[in-house]
């Protein structure tokens, strides 16, 4: 009985942590972007504008929740729930603390990759069900982009798995006790970050919702909380990718003096900062260039990296 | 059998990057543009007809509302056309002030262009940086002309009022620091690989095609044609200042980006020269109270607005009211090149091309 309670408490805590950090991120991103852009950002509601988020949520809750008559109703409503559900489910395997994740899954890495693939359905369904031209363009872009970059991401993760000899995120973190993998696998780290940007549809890879080209892309027809769900899903993805990157490459919560969860948060924050910095700096790439970059540069480099890593691992185990 | 056909996409008139109320009917094969038809007229206010009902002085505010991003330049073209029509003299001091304000207008207009163009391409920081400097220029307009956007800057025969105290020093101080700001913009964009990928080779129009289509301004100079009315047919005090015209040979969006950046740098030089050499004297020449101009005269006067060749064709009626006033709007003529530049490109390139045209829909539709 106490075991069940324990699991429930940990589940609630993990979910709360994920949701809270995703929603805090909205404020963090807006303030940081403002700093990059020489302006103030939200600073009216509450201290330092921290309650801006509350104001925004109330606004989104009270907006008319409208399903366009020309939309395909069931997938239209299903789509935003999928993106949040896959985002939240992925947090089950993130090893925030030394004790490991909520679920100590021996295929944690595969689980994360699988769920991030599933989130493509959300975007596709949203775009198709909306039955509008801009949404369709956004959905097609998103599907192509996410599937292409998934491959590069999987390959870059595979080199880490080869080094650690495990799919379990807790064991991967433990294997980095002395030396984080970013030192051994700088190429894989870069590929993972770039693919993470593309997977979470963030600038400069925000083509599926490029407002200057295709209005709002796949979520053009969405309003109220359904729109908020896409928004939340996106920020969840950002938190998720930064936490997985932390676990895979930066040694998770490993570090001196401070508790593991603090180290984990610091490393995550650093990666998120880079993501926001990139957003403030770069223009958006064009669709054909995006695909060319993914298939002609990222994937071959990732394969090469994996081959070299694999050869070294085999040589080491044969020698030792 | 499945019927494969092009998708007809209605882009605008309420679209984030058509810069106002331009409507494009795009025929798409996937994301490739097969055909592109611009539809305009959503902002048509009948300015030219309205100008036949007011006297020459009352017509100045109408010109503000055509190209509202470069209102002082619209005013300048109009008042000079009227002065030419009537033969009224303009004092030298007014000429210098007009030139300085006109070039500040060019800076403000190009800054807005740079910011929005970069934003269309997805670089969001740029627009906030350029707005920061444009704000300063608009403050100069506010203090000297009384308004920020619809300035009604000049009146036939001279200026409405003398420059306020301290204005010249403030503008010169801005001219000192502004080139550094342009360096900042260049640091963010000029060698950015994504920016290059999005602008180099996009929106190509050869020099000959540009001439055939009647393009002017940076659209023409970006295609290697060194034609600038400020040099060819100097007006205001442009013959008394020293400056270079910006020309790039590459004929693409990036070339036009470079042209506009150089034009901003040159504009700073012109403003500095005008204000340093500003002669003392009256600001308003002798003009009859009723603005009466004898019948049967006609004039076509062109100036180099930030968007290109801005022409006013005015016919007098014998009273203080023009018989006809036609505006040759650079945005309208430049818009012609949108279709040839867009065909065969991607949707994302159409956005770049609209941006590089630097059209103002108030100017297109009038």
């Amino acid at each position: 009985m106490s075991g069940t309670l324990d699991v429930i408490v940990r589940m609630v805590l993990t979910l709360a942590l994920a949701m809270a950090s995703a929603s805090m991120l909205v404020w963090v991103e807006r303030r940081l972007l403002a700093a990059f852009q020489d302006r103030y950002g939200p600073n009216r509601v509450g201290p330092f504008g921290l309650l801006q988020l509350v104001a925004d949520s109330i606004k989104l809750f009270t907006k008319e929740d409208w399903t366009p008559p020309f939309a395909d109703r069931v997938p239209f409503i299903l789509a935003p729930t999928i993106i949040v559900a896959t985002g939240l489910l992925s947090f089950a395997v993130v090893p925030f603390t030394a004790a490991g994740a909520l679920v100590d899954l021996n295929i944690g890495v595969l689980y994360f990759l699988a769920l991030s693939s599933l989130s493509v359905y959300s975007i596709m369904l949203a775009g198709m069900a909306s039955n509008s031209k801009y949404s369709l363009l956004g959905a097609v872009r998103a599907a192509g982009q996410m599937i292409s970059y998934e491959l590069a991401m999987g390959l870059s993760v595979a080199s880490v798995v080869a080094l650690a000899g495990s799919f379990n995120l807790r064991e991967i973190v433990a294997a980095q006790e002395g030396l984080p993998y970013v030192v051994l696998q700088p190429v894989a780290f870069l590929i993972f970050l770039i693919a993470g940007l593309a997977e979470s549809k963030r600038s400069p890879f925000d083509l599926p919702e490029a407002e200057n080209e295709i209005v709002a892309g796949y979520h053009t027809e969405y309003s109220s909380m359904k729109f908020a769900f896409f928004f939340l899903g996106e920020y969840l993805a950002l938190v998720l990718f930064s936490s997985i990157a932390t676990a895979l490459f930066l040694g998770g919560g490993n570090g001196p003096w401070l508790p593991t969860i603090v180290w984990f948060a610091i490393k995550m924050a650093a990666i998120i900062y880079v993501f926001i910095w990139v957003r403030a700096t770069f223009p958006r790439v064009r669709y054909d260039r995006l695909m060319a970059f993914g298939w002609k540069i990222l994937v071959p480099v990732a394969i090469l990296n994996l081959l070299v890593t694999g050869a070294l691992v085999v040589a080491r185990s044969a020698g030792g | 059998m499945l019927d494969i056909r092009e998708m007809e996409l209605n882009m605008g008139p309420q679209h984030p990057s058509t810069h106002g109320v331009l409507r494009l009917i795009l025929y798409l094969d996937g994301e490739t543009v097969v055909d592109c038809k611009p539809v305009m007229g959503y902002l048509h206010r009948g300015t030219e007809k309205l100008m036949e009902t007011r006297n020459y002085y009352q017509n100045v505010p109408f010109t503000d509302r055509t190209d509202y991003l470069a209102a002082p330049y619209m005013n300048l073209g109009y008042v000079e056309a009227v002065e030419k029509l009537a033969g009224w003299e303009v004092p030298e001091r007014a000429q210098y002030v007009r030139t300085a304000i006109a070039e500040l207008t060019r800076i403000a207009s190009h800054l807005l262009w740079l910011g929005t163009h970069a934003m269309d391409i997805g670089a969001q920081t740029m627009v906030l940086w350029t707005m920061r400097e444009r704000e300063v220029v608009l403050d100069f307009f506010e203090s000297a002309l009384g308004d920020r956007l619809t300035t009604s800057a000049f009146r036939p025969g001279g200026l409405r009022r003398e420059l306020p105290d301290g204005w010249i020093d403030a503008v010169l101080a801005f001219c000192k620091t502004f080139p550094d700001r342009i360096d900042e913009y260049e640091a963010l964009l000029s060698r950015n690989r994504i920016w290059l990928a999005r602008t180099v080779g996009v929106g190509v129009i050869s020099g000959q095609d540009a001439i055939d289509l009647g393009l002017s301004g940076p659209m023409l100079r970006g295609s290697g044609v060194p034609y600038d009315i400020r040099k060819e047919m100097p007006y205001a005090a442009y013959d008394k200042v020293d400056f270079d015209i910006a020309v790039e040979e590459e004929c693409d969006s990036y070339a036009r980006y470079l042209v506009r950046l150089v034009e901003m740098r040159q504009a700073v030089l012109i403003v500095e020269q005008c204000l340093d050499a500003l002669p003392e004297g009256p600001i308003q020449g002798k003009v009859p109270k009723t603005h009466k101009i004898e019948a049967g005269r006609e004039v076509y006067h062109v100036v180099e607005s930030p968007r290109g060749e801005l022409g006013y064709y005015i016919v007098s009626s014998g009273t203080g009211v023009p018989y006809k006033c036609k505006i040759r709007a650079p945005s309208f003529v430049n818009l012609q090149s949108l279709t040839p530049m867009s065909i065969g490109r991607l949707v994302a390139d159409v956005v770049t091309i609209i941006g590089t045209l630097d059209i103002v829909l108030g100017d297109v539709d009038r």
Side-chain angles (χ1 to χ4, degrees):
Chain A
M1 189 59 207
S2 70
T4 326
L5 194 68
D6 184 45
V7 167
I8 290 174
V9 166
R10 280 170 59 189
M11 259 165 69
V12 170
L13 270 180
T14 311
L15 279 186
L17 200 68
M19 296 286 265
S21 47
S23 27
M24 267 306 290
L25 206 55
V26 181
W27 177 82
V28 169
E29 169 154 47
R30 288 178 66 181
R31 288 295 294 214
L32 265 180
L33 274 182
F36 283 121
Q37 295 168 345
D38 207 1
R39 59 192 173 92
Y40 294 112
N43 63 353
R44 298 285 120 173
V45 194
F48 309 106
L50 272 167
L51 296 181
Q52 180 67 41
L53 180 72
V54 180
D56 285 348
S57 326
I58 292 173
K59 187 197 78 175
L60 282 168
F61 262 117
T62 50
K63 289 272 169 188
E64 184 187 358
D65 188 13
W66 187 64
T67 308
F70 47 81
D72 196 346
R73 230 186 133 73
V74 175
F76 187 83
I77 295 169
L78 203 60
T81 54
I82 295 179
I83 193 165
V84 173
T86 53
L88 286 176
L89 281 174
S90 307
F91 280 97
V93 292
V94 176
F96 286 112
T97 57
L102 185 60
V103 187
D104 193 17
L105 207 58
N106 62 350
I107 49 157
V109 174
L110 291 181
Y111 175 79
F112 152 72
L113 286 175
L115 279 175
S116 90
S117 303
L118 272 182
S119 70
V120 181
Y121 279 102
S122 166
I123 315 293
M124 277 306 279
L125 284 178
M128 298 286 193
S130 293
N131 208 359
S132 115
K133 289 169 182 173
Y134 286 115
S135 300
L136 180 68
L137 280 178
V140 172
R141 283 179 174 197
Q145 168 178 338
M146 290 174 83
I147 291 168
S148 311
Y149 279 72
E150 196 109 294
L151 198 59
M153 173 181 279
L155 287 167
S156 70
V157 170
S159 3
V160 170
V161 172
L163 273 186
S166 168
F167 275 114
N168 187 325
L169 278 163
R170 184 180 51 79
E171 284 171 22
I172 292 177
V173 170
Q176 300 175 66
E177 195 62 65
L179 195 63
Y181 281 157
V182 63
V183 183
L184 297 175
Q185 289 287 349
V187 181
F189 179 61
L190 274 180
I191 292 172
F192 187 86
L193 277 194
I194 294 171
L197 277 175
E199 279 285 301
S200 50
K201 301 177 292 298
R202 286 186 58 84
S203 174
F205 303 116
D206 54 347
L207 296 95
E209 52 205 272
E211 74 273 11
N212 317 86
E213 295 159 21
I214 51 174
V215 192
Y218 60 88
H219 59 60
T220 305
E221 305 293 340
Y222 282 86
S223 64
S224 184
M225 277 317 281
K226 291 205 212 77
F227 166 76
F229 262 41
F230 280 116
F231 222 70
L232 182 64
E234 235 161 81
Y235 281 98
L236 279 176
L238 180 59
V239 177
L240 181 67
F241 282 109
S242 55
S243 56
I244 297 283
T246 305
L248 288 178
F249 294 98
L250 300 182
N254 296 342
W257 306 308
L258 297 171
T260 28
I261 191 147
V262 176
W263 269 114
F264 202 92
I266 290 173
K267 290 169 181 175
M268 252 175 78
I271 293 178
I272 289 174
Y273 181 83
V274 171
F275 274 26
I276 295 172
W277 188 6
V278 164
R279 174 168 175 195
T281 310
F282 286 115
R284 183 182 304 118
V285 295
R286 206 172 59 198
Y287 186 65
D288 56 333
R289 303 261 179 182
L290 173 93
M291 289 312 231
F293 182 68
W295 287 100
K296 291 184 184 160
I297 299 176
L298 276 193
V299 171
V301 171
I303 291 177
L304 204 67
N305 187 53
L306 179 60
L307 279 178
V308 172
T309 311
L312 286 179
V313 168
V314 170
R316 198 177 55 186
S317 62
Chain B
M1 276 293 283
L2 276 172
D3 178 27
I4 298 175
R5 60 195 160 87
E6 294 150 9
M7 180 161 93
E8 193 182 323
L9 185 68
N10 198 12
M11 196 167 168
Q14 276 117 12
H15 185 278
S17 58
T18 52
H19 292 226
V21 287
L22 176 65
R23 175 178 164 211
L24 300 178
I25 303 174
L26 295 177
Y27 296 90
L28 299 178
D29 172 16
E31 280 213 30
T32 311
V33 178
V34 179
D35 198 5
C36 163
K37 288 183 187 153
V39 182
M40 56 215 137
Y42 291 93
L43 204 56
H44 180 69
R45 292 147 298 174
T47 304
E48 289 168 1
K49 188 68 188 168
L50 279 170
M51 287 172 89
E52 295 168 16
T53 63
R54 303 284 196 280
N55 71 32
Y56 291 103
Y57 179 58
Q58 289 170 325
N59 276 337
V60 175
F62 284 132
T63 62
D64 287 335
R65 284 153 181 81
T66 51
D67 182 352
Y68 38 76
L69 297 181
Y73 232 107
M74 299 304 286
N75 307 148
L76 179 69
Y78 172 73
V79 296
E80 288 204 324
V82 172
E83 285 152 7
K84 218 177 188 178
L85 184 72
W88 297 330
E89 289 294 319
V90 182
E92 209 177 20
R93 183 177 172 84
Q95 296 280 29
Y96 273 80
V97 172
R98 281 179 178 185
T99 312
I101 288 174
E103 287 306 305
L104 284 174
T105 308
R106 192 179 307 279
I107 292 174
S109 174
H110 280 2
L111 280 176
L112 191 89
W113 164 80
L114 178 60
T116 51
H117 186 41
M119 189 168 62
D120 285 345
I121 297 183
Q124 354 175 301
T125 300
M126 206 59 199
V127 69
L128 289 147
W129 285 12
T130 60
M131 282 294 172
R132 184 181 60 192
E133 272 72 62
R134 181 169 178 265
E135 207 54 29
V136 179
V137 177
L138 292 191
D139 285 344
F140 292 149
F141 289 167
E142 188 177 7
S143 57
L145 309 170
D147 212 321
R148 296 161 67 83
L149 205 65
T150 50
T151 50
S152 299
F154 318 117
R155 60 162 62 164
L159 303 176
R160 274 196 299 149
R161 53 175 132 169
E162 186 51 79
L163 294 175
D165 293 339
W167 192 83
I168 294 175
D169 294 331
V171 174
L172 286 175
F174 170 75
C175 289
K176 283 270 172 313
T177 56
F178 184 58
D180 296 340
R181 298 283 95 80
I182 303 179
D183 291 341
E184 276 181 19
Y185 308 152
E186 290 220 62
L188 196 59
L189 292 180
S190 285
R191 286 182 304 281
N192 184 320
R193 291 190 67 101
I194 301 179
W195 178 260
L196 291 173
R198 288 298 304 273
T199 55
V200 172
V202 175
V204 178
I205 195 119
S206 73
Q208 189 56 48
D209 285 349
I211 293 170
D212 292 346
L213 284 168
L215 304 188
S216 52
M219 290 298 296
L220 185 63
R221 292 191 288 275
S223 292
V225 182
Y227 179 77
D228 190 321
I229 296 157
R230 292 176 294 172
K231 285 279 189 200
E232 302 289 327
M233 295 171 252
Y235 50 93
Y238 280 110
D239 51 347
K240 300 182 190 77
V241 290
D242 185 29
F243 65 99
D244 297 323
I245 55 176
V247 185
E248 292 289 333
E249 303 289 338
E250 280 72 30
C251 311
D252 56 11
S253 298
Y254 188 68
R256 294 187 278 270
Y257 156 79
L258 292 177
V259 164
R260 290 190 174 107
L261 282 183
V262 174
E263 281 188 2
M264 281 200 272
R265 292 185 194 276
Q266 292 295 325
V268 170
L269 296 181
I270 297 173
V271 172
E272 281 178 333
Q273 289 177 53
C274 285
L275 294 184
D276 283 338
L278 189 63
E280 294 297 324
I283 56 161
Q284 176 70 29
K286 264 205 162 342
V287 170
K289 274 240 159 56
T290 55
H291 282 161
K292 192 173 164 185
I293 300 172
E294 67 179 72
R297 291 200 196 175
E298 59 178 354
V299 71
Y300 181 66
H301 182 68
V302 287
V303 291
E304 181 76 28
S305 102
R307 266 155 273 283
E309 180 178 327
L310 166 66
Y312 282 93
Y313 173 69
I314 306 177
V315 181
S316 65
S317 65
T319 63
V321 180
Y323 175 75
K324 167 76 190 164
C325 183
K326 161 93 181 91
I327 305 170
R328 191 257 188 218
S331 300
F332 177 68
V333 182
N334 287 354
L335 186 57
Q336 290 193 90
S337 60
L338 177 69
T339 306
M341 287 197 289
S342 304
I343 288 177
R345 311 294 311 193
L346 298 173
V347 177
D349 287 337
V350 174
V351 172
T352 311
I353 291 166
I354 298 173
T356 193
L357 282 171
D358 191 18
I359 47 170
V360 169
L361 268 297
D363 196 28
V364 172
D365 294 339
R366 301 184 294 287

